[in-house]
């Protein structure tokens, strides 16, 4: 895989680890990443395009970076790798960084990056995600291969669509045919009726205490690190969330309206407590299985999210995994009902910086970077 050959150890051996700077693209979940880095005593660097973006951060002095790198285009980051390394930068990746740079550039960007970049090829394909999650014991929504077999509500997802844009619901083949864009690559999934919960987990391979993940396959019999639940959110999606207010799906169709799933924000959620063991079992399975994925080497490191639906039979379906910090964690910038139990007020952003700080103290930075 593209990321395998990166000389991370060489880069890090040139670093002054007492002067690490946490770098992040100023978007997505950067406020909590910058704020958390500062709380853990790191210098911070924000990367953005245009002055307007930078100005917004002056509204949040607790997160406003110590230093800015202002570019004309995010792809210029590729040319600034040496500049960033000279400043002992560790980049914290998020969905916007990967999107702005493009997955291929991200995998070869010559700057030490928190977490495991090699997992991207597994995360970036629906088929591979399925292999990964199912091998970790998660149940996913059924896939319908032939549109003629649609025999109940389905959701049609386009490849590369982000934030649910363009997805649609169909009840039968006629519905499907009327809405589908055959030019695009698509997947048809059973529409799972239930309540959505997006779990923001954190996997830290260094500690030997807490909820230890049991390895599988080549790591069977080993405890491989600590799994934590940072927070849970639910996405606000326009217009599906409010659709019911206008009448039945049939009435809406008569008005020429179709539900859409465009993410506009997030709200915090808590789970019925008796379901938490199952949530941890799924998180543990996803981590343990990630260590066995071909080319993914160290597997999952740091924040990740399982996107789930719980049915009225109290069964989970996992429809997606994100292998890095998700914007849903922004609901818990000041802590969550789960993270607060262990340490009041800690965000996922601060948890990332804490992981880096502890790894520096233990001289194990290479275990958490790629
Ligand atoms: P991202 O990559 O930003 O997480 P995406 O574009 O890959 O998002 P999904 O997360 O797969 O999209 O789905 C978007 C939304 O569609 C979900 O938040 C959920 O509301 C709905 N959804 C997805 N899959 C299903 C399903 N099988 N059944 C019911 N609803 C679903």
């Amino acid at each position: 895989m593209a990321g395998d050959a990166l000389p991370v150890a060489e880069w890090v051996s040139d670093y002054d680890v007492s002067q690490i700077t946490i770098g992040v693209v100023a978007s997505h979940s950067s406020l909590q990443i910058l704020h958390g880095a500062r709380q853990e005593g790191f210098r911070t660097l924000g990367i953005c395009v245009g002055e307007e973006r930078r100005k917004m951060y002056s509204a949040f002095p607790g997160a406003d970076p110590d230093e800015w790198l202002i570019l004309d285009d995010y792809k210029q980051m590729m040319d600034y790798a040496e500049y960033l390394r000279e400043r002992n930068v560790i980049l914290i990746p998020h969905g916007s960084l990967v999107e702005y740079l493009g997955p291929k550039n991200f995998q070869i960007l010559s700057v030490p990056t928190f977490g495991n970049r090699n997992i991207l090829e597994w995360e970036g394909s629906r088929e591979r995600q399925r292999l990964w999650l199912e091998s970790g014991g998660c149940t996913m929504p059924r896939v319908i291969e032939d549109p003629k077999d649609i025999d109940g509500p389905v959701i049609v997802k386009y490849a590369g669509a982000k934030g649910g844009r363009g997805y649609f619901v169909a009840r039968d083949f006629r519905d499907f045919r009327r809405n589908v864009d055959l030019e695009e690559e698509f997947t048809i999934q059973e529409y799972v009726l239930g309540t959505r919960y997006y779990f923001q987990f954190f996997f830290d391979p260094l500690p030997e205490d807490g909820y230890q993940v049991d390895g599988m396959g080549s790591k069977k019999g080993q405890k491989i690190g600590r799994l934590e639940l940072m927070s849970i959110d639910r996405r606000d999606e326009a217009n599906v969330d409010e659709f019911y207010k206008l009448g039945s799906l049939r009435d809406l169709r008569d008005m020429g309206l179709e539900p859409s799933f465009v993410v506009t924000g997030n709200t915090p959620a808590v789970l019925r407590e008796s379901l938490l063991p199952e949530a941890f079992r799924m998180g543990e399975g996803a981590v343990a299985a990630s260590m066995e994925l071909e080319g993914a080497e160290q597997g999952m490191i740091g924040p990740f999210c399982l996107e789930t639906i719980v049915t009225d039979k109290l069964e989970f379906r996992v429809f997606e995994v994100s292998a890095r910090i998700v914007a849903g964690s922004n609901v818990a910038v000041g802590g969550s009902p789960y993270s607060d139990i262990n340490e009041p007020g800690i965000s996922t952003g601060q948890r990332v910086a804490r992981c880096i700080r502890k790894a520096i103290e233990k001289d194990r930075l290479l275990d958490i970077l790629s």
Side-chain angles (χ1 to χ4, degrees), residues 57 105 122 305 359 370:
Y57 286 76
N105 281 335
W122 285 88
C305 178
S370 65

Side-chain angles (χ1 to χ4, degrees), residues 76-248:
Q76 277 180 344
M77 275 178 75
M78 304 306 286
D79 305 325
Y80 275 88
E82 204 177 322
Y83 172 97
L84 294 168
R85 293 203 309 271
E86 278 165 3
R87 281 159 181 72
N88 304 301
V89 166
I90 294 177
L91 273 181
I92 313 300
H94 51 52
S96 299
L97 169 72
V98 179
E99 196 180 322
Y100 296 160
L101 275 187
K104 289 212 164 69
N105 281 335
F106 172 61
Q107 270 183 305
I108 56 168
L109 180 66
S110 300
V111 183
T113 299
F114 181 72
N116 181 2
R117 286 188 249 192
N118 296 323
I119 213 157
L120 195 70
E121 297 199 12
W122 285 88
E123 187 209 40
S125 136
R126 283 197 205 290
E127 292 72 32
R128 291 189 140 212
Q129 274 200 15
R130 185 170 286 270
L131 287 173
W132 166 11
L133 292 172
E134 289 184 344
S135 68
C138 300
T139 309
M140 298 194 72
R142 191 166 53 91
V143 169
I144 290 97
E145 302 291 350
D146 183 347
K148 295 208 175 73
D149 293 338
I150 297 174
D151 58 357
V154 295
I155 180 163
V156 182
K157 301 181 172 190
Y158 292 109
K162 276 283 146 203
R165 194 172 291 277
Y167 290 6
F168 69 92
V169 176
R171 285 165 305 176
D172 49 31
F173 181 59
R174 244 183 78 222
D175 251 8
F176 168 81
R177 211 176 36 192
R178 193 174 52 195
N179 287 297
V180 72
D181 177 357
L182 291 170
E183 301 286 297
E184 297 273 340
E185 203 184 309
F186 58 82
T187 311
I188 308 172
Q189 262 183 17
E190 139 198 36
Y191 188 92
V192 181
L193 200 55
T195 328
R196 291 168 299 126
Y197 294 98
Y198 300 69
F199 294 95
Q200 281 103 45
F201 286 110
F202 193 97
F203 176 68
D204 191 332
L206 305 187
E208 289 172 5
D209 59 355
Y211 186 106
Q212 283 289 311
V213 171
D214 285 319
M216 57 190 279
S218 63
K219 294 202 165 48
K220 200 166 171 52
Q222 293 176 33
K223 305 282 182 201
I224 58 177
R226 186 166 81 201
L227 182 66
E228 298 166 29
L229 177 62
M230 300 303 298
S231 50
I232 306 174
D233 79 297
R234 182 170 308 144
R235 291 182 180 172
D236 300 323
E237 293 171 338
N239 294 325
V240 69
D241 292 346
E242 303 293 323
F243 232 53
Y244 67 96
K245 291 182 182 162
L246 296 181
S248 72

Side-chain angles (χ1 to χ4, degrees), residues 264-306:
T264 54
N266 307 76
T267 43
V270 288
L271 189 73
R272 183 170 165 165
E273 199 160 301
S274 58
L275 292 173
L276 273 181
E278 179 61 5
F280 269 89
R281 189 195 65 76
M282 295 187 302
E284 178 173 9
V287 172
S290 73
M291 308 281 158
E292 303 302 308
L293 302 176
E294 192 200 326
E297 293 166 5
Q298 308 135 286
M300 188 93 74
I301 299 165
F304 70 98
C305 178
L306 290 185

